[in-house]
Amino acid sequence: MNTPDENFKGVCLISKSLRQKFVEWAGFTIRYSFWAKAYYRQQEAKGKPHNTIIRSLAFKWIRILFRCWKTHTPYDESTYLTALKSKGSPLLKFAMESEL
């Protein structure tokens, strides 16, 4: 039987303590990242609980940082926002409508 630290295939992806550090860090990014704040407000408007939002935000950050690591490029907020815009992300639409 898989533990919470294992994915669907049974491979351990990330330790509990590292996952918790990502969750804590994701909470701090709301203050400094435009899209993270917009994502938090969007999910909050949908009625999601704070902890659920922060965990899903941490997962988004993990995916972003993994991509940066894989491509050997530093994270750049403007590059990420441009990518969201080019994909027609509803997150940016929400941010503009709510004037974050």
Side-chain angles (χ1 to χ4, degrees):
M1 181 172 209
N2 292 347
T3 65
D5 289 332
E6 297 177 4
N7 73 356
F8 301 115
K9 295 175 186 155
V11 178
C12 184
L13 295 177
I14 190 169
S15 71
K16 258 186 184 176
S17 63
L18 184 57
R19 187 175 61 223
Q20 182 58 36
K21 285 174 182 37
F22 267 110
V23 169
E24 291 170 8
W25 178 70
F28 286 118
T29 64
I30 294 167
R31 297 181 203 164
Y32 306 105
S33 170
F34 175 79
W35 73 265
K37 182 178 182 179
Y39 180 78
Y40 184 88
R41 298 292 178 229
Q42 179 190 48
Q43 296 302 307
E44 194 176 46
K46 291 180 180 179
K48 304 282 176 139
H50 172 76
N51 290 338
T52 302
I53 300 168
I54 298 299
R55 279 194 308 272
S56 63
L57 181 59
F59 180 70
K60 285 187 172 297
W61 273 116
I62 289 169
R63 288 178 32 213
I64 291 166
L65 295 176
F66 179 74
R67 175 69 181 239
C68 290
W69 174 73
K70 202 172 168 184
T71 60
H72 304 285
T73 55
Y75 173 73
D76 179 28
E77 181 97 1
S78 61
T79 302
Y80 187 69
L81 291 173
T82 302
L84 288 177
K85 185 178 180 182
S86 69
K87 293 178 181 179
S89 172
L91 179 61
L92 291 181
K93 184 179 178 186
F94 175 84
M96 295 307 167
E97 288 173 357
S98 61
E99 298 177 15
L100 291 176

